[in-house]
């Protein structure tokens, strides 16, 4: 046997089409490039268990034996991956060039969700034969990777085109009383056919409002889930504003009721102790017709 002990690797990333002795063991005195067999397919794994490794060690007279029956090595074939997102983005761009209008997404089978190429290949592909059925909202296309002239993979894809609407949603959960600001909003795309009639579609209809109860992030909001915030609280000191032409007078008062912007509440003048009707015009501010 070899005088120097060798050590088993736990994992190995294989670049080429074959497994070599050097892919499996450290500290080999020689024969690192000896071919043991074909490598797994690009992107796939292969596990060599203790029994298989022992056969290799005995056959090649290596100073190594498995310490337990659980010893093994995981061999992973390096690969170039082209994701479903990459394919979808290119298909959408080409469908737009064909004149398809509006915001939309694609739905196609999982078996065409990604392309796996050998590691030495670039992550490129070509789309050919794109056909769009506007009436039935369907499409078909052929994907060649890396090129149509020299394809290593060819995929025939067909799927559905569905229109989407961008909807404003909260970027984080909010409680009642918290005022929704512009920077509190994100956008998500929802299928048009899945959109409820009462979902709020415009950010300006959310900004300045507050949730009626706890509102979750990432979820579309409806008219019934928001309300104008109570910007004046009962017992709070407010500024009473009286406008008549170019004349504007102010006085301090105390709110006898709570309310949101535009609500009419009763206010007592702090100087005269007179109760008057007032319309809430801003935070701690009301408009009055008389003092």
């Amino acid at each position: 046997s070899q005088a120097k002990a060798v050590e088993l690797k736990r994992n190995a990333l294989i670049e080429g089409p074959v497994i070599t002795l050097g892919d499996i063991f450290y500290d080999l005195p020689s024969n690192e490039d000896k071919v043991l067999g074909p490598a797994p397919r690009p992107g796939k794994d292969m596990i060599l268990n203790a029994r298989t490794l022992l056969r290799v060690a005995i056959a090649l007279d290596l100073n190594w034996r498995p310490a337990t029956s659980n010893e093994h090595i995981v061999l992973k074939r390096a690969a170039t991956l082209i994701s479903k997102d990459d394919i979808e983005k290119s298909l959408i761009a080409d469908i737009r060039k064909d004149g398809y209008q509006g915001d939309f997404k694609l739905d196609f089978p999982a078996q065409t969700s990604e392309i796996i190429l050998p590691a030495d290949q670039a992550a490129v592909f070509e789309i050919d034969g794109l056909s769009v059925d506007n009436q039935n909202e369907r499409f078909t296309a052929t994907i060649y990777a890396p090129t149509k002239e020299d394809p290593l993979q060819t995929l025939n894809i067909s799927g559905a085109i569905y229109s989407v609407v961008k909807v404003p949603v909260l970027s984080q959960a909010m409680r009642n009383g918290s005022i929704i600001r512009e920077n509190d909003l994100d956008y998500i795309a929802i299928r048009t056919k899945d959109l409820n009639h009462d979902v709020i579609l415009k950010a300006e209809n959310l900004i300045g409002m507050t949730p009626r109860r706890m509102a979750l992030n990432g979820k579309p909001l409806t008219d019934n889930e928001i309300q104008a915030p109570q910007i004046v609280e009962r017992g709070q000191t407010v500024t009473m504003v009286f406008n008549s032409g170019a004349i504007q007078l102010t006085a301090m008062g105390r709110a006898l009721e709570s309310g949101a912007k535009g609500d009419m509440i009763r206010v007592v003048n702090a100087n005269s102790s007179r109760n008057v009707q007032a319309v809430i015009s801003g935070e701690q501010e009301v408009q009055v017709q008389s003092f």
Side-chain angles (χ1 to χ4, degrees):
S1 64
Q2 299 285 355
K4 185 178 180 181
V6 297
E7 185 179 350
L8 177 69
K9 296 179 180 180
R10 298 304 174 191
N11 298 278
L13 185 66
I14 300 175
E15 301 286 346
V18 296
I19 302 169
T20 66
L21 193 61
D23 291 326
I24 300 176
F25 294 104
Y26 293 111
D27 301 324
L28 289 167
S30 60
N31 293 331
E32 285 192 4
D33 296 329
K34 182 173 181 59
V35 175
L36 302 180
R41 294 180 60 192
K44 300 297 183 181
D45 296 345
M46 176 186 293
I47 298 176
L48 302 183
N49 59 24
R51 181 176 296 182
T52 301
L53 294 168
L54 177 59
R55 289 199 193 104
V56 173
I58 292 174
L60 297 178
D61 196 22
L62 297 178
N63 186 15
W64 179 88
R65 296 295 182 269
T68 70
S69 61
N70 292 326
E71 288 218 68
H72 66 279
I73 181 174
V74 179
L75 304 174
K76 184 176 181 64
R77 177 76 178 274
T80 296
L81 299 180
I82 301 174
S83 68
K84 180 181 179 181
D85 286 344
D86 293 331
I87 296 172
E88 184 175 6
K89 286 177 184 176
S90 292
L91 284 168
I92 287 176
D94 284 4
I95 290 172
R96 288 194 189 282
K97 290 178 184 177
D98 271 8
Y100 200 94
Q101 302 296 318
D103 292 324
F104 62 91
K105 289 187 175 293
L106 305 179
D107 185 18
F108 48 94
Q111 60 264 31
T112 58
S113 61
E114 66 178 14
I115 297 173
I116 302 176
L117 298 174
D120 59 351
Q121 295 292 322
V124 296
F125 59 94
E126 294 181 5
I127 300 173
D128 188 58
L130 177 64
S131 176
V132 177
D133 182 349
N134 291 301
Q135 183 175 356
N136 296 309
E137 296 187 315
R138 302 283 303 176
F139 76 94
T140 59
T142 302
I143 308 292
Y144 298 97
T147 65
K148 182 180 178 180
E149 288 73 23
D150 185 23
L152 294 178
Q153 283 202 42
T154 302
L155 297 176
N156 293 314
I157 293 180
S158 64
I161 304 172
Y162 58 91
S163 58
V164 297
V165 176
K166 290 183 179 179
V167 177
V169 295
L170 295 175
S171 57
Q172 58 185 357
M174 296 184 72
R175 299 179 180 275
N176 173 260
S178 300
I179 309 301
I180 301 172
R181 311 293 185 191
E182 185 175 3
N183 58 4
D184 294 321
L185 299 178
D186 281 336
Y187 288 85
I188 62 172
I190 299 180
R191 293 192 186 197
T192 304
K193 67 177 183 179
D194 296 335
L195 196 65
N196 292 330
H197 70 280
D198 55 351
V199 166
I200 297 172
L201 303 178
K202 295 183 179 180
E204 53 263 36
N205 294 335
L206 286 174
I207 295 171
M209 306 296 278
T210 185
R212 290 184 183 273
R213 57 190 66 85
M214 189 71 178
L216 301 178
N217 58 304
K219 178 181 176 295
L221 294 169
T222 65
D223 293 325
N224 293 329
E225 292 176 313
I226 63 168
Q227 63 183 10
Q230 300 281 308
I231 58 176
V232 170
E233 300 291 337
R234 180 181 178 183
Q236 187 177 36
T237 299
V238 295
T239 300
M240 304 168 61
V241 180
F242 171 78
N243 288 304
S244 178
I247 299 174
Q248 183 182 79
L249 302 175
T250 61
M252 301 308 295
R254 180 168 54 86
L256 300 178
E257 298 172 289
S258 300
K261 186 174 182 178
D263 288 348
M264 180 172 287
I265 62 171
R266 292 179 299 117
V267 176
V268 59
N269 189 315
N271 294 323
S272 66
S273 299
R274 179 187 175 193
N275 289 358
V276 296
Q277 296 290 324
V279 175
I280 299 175
S281 55
E283 294 186 15
Q284 296 180 275
E285 181 185 278
V286 297
Q287 297 283 335
V288 298
Q289 296 301 313
S290 66
F291 285 137

